[in-house]
Amino acid sequence: MKYLDEYRDGRLARKIVREIEHIQTRPWVIMEVCGGQTHSIVKHGIDHLLPRGIELVHGPGCPVCVTSLELIDKAHTIARRPDVIFCSFGDMLRVPGSECDLFALKSRGAQVRVVYSPLDCLKIALANPESKVVFFAVGFETTAPANAMAVWEARRRGIKNFLLLTSHVLVPPAIAAILQSPQNRVQGFLGPGHVCVIQGSREYEAISSRFRVPIVITGFEPLDILEGTLMVVRLLESGTAEVQNQYVRAVRREGNRQAQELVQKVFEVGDRKWRGVGSIPKSGYKLRWEFRDHDAERAFDVKEIDTKEPAICISGQILKGIKKPHDCPAFGTQCTPQSPLGATMVSAEGACAAYYAYGRHLVKEPA
Amino acid sequence: MCLGIPGKVIERFEMYGLPMAKVQFGGICRQTCLAYVPDAAVGEYVVVHVGFAISKIDEEEAARTYQLLEQMDQLTELAAPDPDMGS
């Protein structure tokens, strides 16, 4: 496929690795922010291809993983109602709440549907005027424009039975939280390519200069990730803290203005609780007051649910790049994708689930 | 989750006042909203995320990245110390 296959060329990959070996003078710890990048790295074995001393640690960029258990339980309470058709992206269905997952609810008769796009929910709402159609709006900045458009269109076209259960998270506050942690090990970042397609690179320029850390906005294919890593190593070796763009074929410095404008009209920034990490100030979107009629949290009075995560789970430290899946005694034994104990095992893009999917629970990681 | 797939705009149309397109990914075609990339023309490539085009693919930049990667180890060889130059 065009723009995919050419970025999976093994011969070029080896060239980039040789170049990194050539310029590297000391060990570096680099974090890839996005779960899509984590998945690609583990799938293609990129971390094992890199020279010794270049360590990739996995970031918090999987929105399914970091959706709080409270909100998942809230979603399940709403999905159980007979007057609700509950719509979600497919990867949210297997995420366990305190009691079960959405698949289990569906098998017990709840109306749970997987959608490809949030706009599909408007069609479902029009076809089922007697039901309330609730969409579980999970995602980072990349997904916010699509969800904003669904709400905007629902209001414009008078589709009153469409509601959004919002669980939107933002990348820059999470990066700042990682860098402010006293245990931080991360020296440079592969920035999230598709988040920056929407947001542009300015927010990352602010982080880079505030924390004196290099950030290279990077794509998702193996050659993108290798080239991004090479660019970060070059910046680290020369002591330069700035933002560079590896993903030039899709990311512009100003981002996508049209998308930013609609997101601004529909959402406002608020505090958000991240599974495994805790509450981060101003790290999420919520619906603006003008769109309250489409807000599922207002429409259904769901009480705050008290939840507890298993004490053994170290997903919080994994999401911050302090630990890796193999550091956890439960990894691959008590904790598997079939019965996950915490954030990084619940979705395919979580670090633990990716390690498990590609057989890394069967081998000892090289020290 | 932030999956963005490159696809080719095959046909443009309008639906409920929104600009839409049929976008082809390998052998599969999907309906895609062009509200955020309204100037994407038939034949151009866009990055698609959850049914929305979020960016046009800059073909020149894509080609340039690839050329730079191709040339890279020639540069490394050039940067290696040259015994004849006594460095």
Side-chain angles (χ1 to χ4, degrees):
Chain A
M1 238 167 93
K2 200 172 176 196
Y3 297 118
L4 285 182
D5 296 339
E6 58 266 54
Y7 295 94
R8 295 178 182 176
D9 180 331
R11 186 182 49 89
L12 278 182
R14 283 186 289 275
K15 275 192 182 191
I16 304 175
V17 172
R18 277 203 299 275
E19 178 71 11
I20 296 172
E21 273 167 2
H22 181 74
I23 62 165
Q24 180 204 358
T25 63
R26 48 160 290 183
W28 298 108
V29 177
I30 300 168
M31 174 180 274
E32 85 279 1
V33 169
C34 176
Q37 293 166 334
T38 303
H39 193 258
S40 190
I41 287 165
V42 181
K43 178 177 175 186
H44 297 282
I46 295 170
D47 49 344
H48 291 171
L49 197 64
L50 288 170
R52 279 179 81 87
I54 303 292
E55 187 187 354
L56 291 179
V57 294
H58 317 304
C62 164
V64 175
C65 298
V66 301
T67 297
S68 72
L69 194 50
E70 286 90 333
L71 206 62
I72 290 164
D73 284 349
K74 242 181 215 183
H76 292 181
T77 307
I78 294 170
R80 277 193 188 96
R81 294 175 60 109
D83 59 338
V84 163
I85 298 175
F86 194 86
C87 300
S88 168
F89 293 132
D91 39 6
M92 210 64 214
L93 262 67
R94 287 194 188 280
V95 179
S98 293
E99 199 212 316
C100 64
D101 61 24
L102 283 167
F103 263 124
L105 287 181
K106 189 175 163 69
S107 71
R108 289 178 213 158
Q111 301 186 77
V112 177
R113 295 196 196 177
V114 173
V115 293
Y116 163 67
S117 167
L119 286 184
D120 297 342
C121 302
L122 300 184
K123 289 180 203 157
I124 297 171
L126 283 171
N128 298 277
E130 72 295 342
S131 296
K132 293 185 175 97
V133 174
V134 179
F135 180 59
F136 202 176
V138 172
F140 275 108
E141 290 91 325
T142 317
T143 318
N147 293 339
M149 183 63 82
V151 177
W152 183 263
E153 284 295 295
R155 194 176 70 160
R156 187 177 72 85
R157 290 160 55 191
I159 305 172
K160 294 202 166 78
N161 61 329
F162 171 71
L163 304 156
L164 211 63
L165 180 63
T166 314
S167 174
H168 260 289
V169 276
L170 303 172
V171 171
I175 294 186
I178 288 165
L179 289 169
Q180 281 166 326
S181 159
Q183 295 156 287
N184 175 49
R185 305 170 56 220
V186 181
Q187 294 162 300
F189 288 90
L190 302 179
H194 290 138
V195 165
C196 293
V197 162
I198 304 297
Q199 296 296 103
S201 56
R202 287 204 173 87
E203 297 168 301
Y204 297 86
E205 289 162 18
I207 291 176
S208 173
S209 66
R210 180 176 162 206
F211 294 98
R212 300 289 309 152
V213 63
I215 302 174
V216 175
I217 295 161
T218 301
F220 298 81
E221 293 306 313
L223 288 188
D224 290 323
I225 290 165
L226 283 169
E227 193 191 18
T229 306
L230 169 62
M231 291 166 77
V232 173
V233 172
R234 273 195 192 125
L235 290 171
L236 287 167
E237 289 287 344
S238 66
T240 314
E242 64 176 35
V243 174
Q244 290 185 350
N245 182 12
Q246 181 278 330
Y247 201 31
V248 279
R249 63 188 184 277
V251 174
R252 330 272 175 257
R253 183 168 182 255
E254 69 282 2
N256 184 324
R257 287 264 167 76
Q258 275 123 330
Q260 290 166 16
E261 276 166 26
L262 199 78
V263 168
Q264 287 287 317
K265 283 180 187 163
V266 173
F267 293 117
E268 61 188 341
V269 172
D271 300 346
R272 167 103 25 229
K273 189 172 178 192
W274 296 52
R275 188 173 195 170
V277 176
S279 187
I280 304 178
K282 297 182 183 164
S283 70
Y285 284 137
K286 51 184 189 177
L287 279 174
R288 285 189 183 277
W289 177 250
E290 302 93 284
F291 296 92
R292 61 190 177 280
D293 293 346
H294 295 285
D295 189 340
E297 285 201 75
R298 282 180 198 280
F300 307 103
D301 188 22
V302 184
K303 287 194 300 289
E304 282 302 320
I305 302 159
D306 201 24
T307 56
K308 221 168 118 192
E309 300 270 14
I312 193 169
C313 179
I314 60 163
S315 61
Q317 288 160 291
I318 294 175
L319 289 167
K320 289 185 216 150
I322 297 164
K323 291 203 169 159
K324 289 200 160 179
H326 282 93
D327 298 324
C328 176
F331 172 66
T333 54
Q334 269 171 279
C335 183
T336 64
Q338 288 71 42
S339 60
L341 293 183
T344 43
M345 191 61 101
V346 298
S347 154
E349 289 187 354
C352 294
Y355 272 52
Y356 192 91
Y358 295 105
R360 296 209 179 168
H361 56 298
L362 304 171
V363 289
K364 214 170 143 53
E365 283 288 289
Chain B
M1 175 82 210
C2 285
L3 193 66
I5 303 174
K8 188 179 185 178
V9 178
I10 298 295
E11 183 192 325
R12 291 189 51 131
F13 58 96
E14 226 178 72
M15 208 167 64
Y16 301 109
L18 286 178
M20 303 289 291
K22 205 162 108 182
V23 174
Q24 191 179 33
F25 310 91
I28 304 164
C29 269
R30 292 218 83 139
Q31 220 176 62
T32 300
C33 181
L34 291 186
Y36 298 128
V37 191
D39 62 337
V42 170
E44 287 189 304
Y45 279 78
V46 289
V47 177
V48 176
H49 172 68
V50 299
F52 286 74
I54 54 172
S55 176
K56 278 210 282 190
I57 293 185
D58 187 324
E59 301 211 24
E60 267 175 44
E61 288 287 10
R64 212 163 54 124
T65 303
Y66 202 70
Q67 280 161 10
L68 280 176
L69 292 176
E70 279 283 5
Q71 289 161 6
M72 203 164 49
D73 70 5
Q74 294 158 21
L75 294 176
T76 309
E77 276 154 32
L78 285 176
D82 184 341
D84 291 337
M85 298 297 284
S87 58

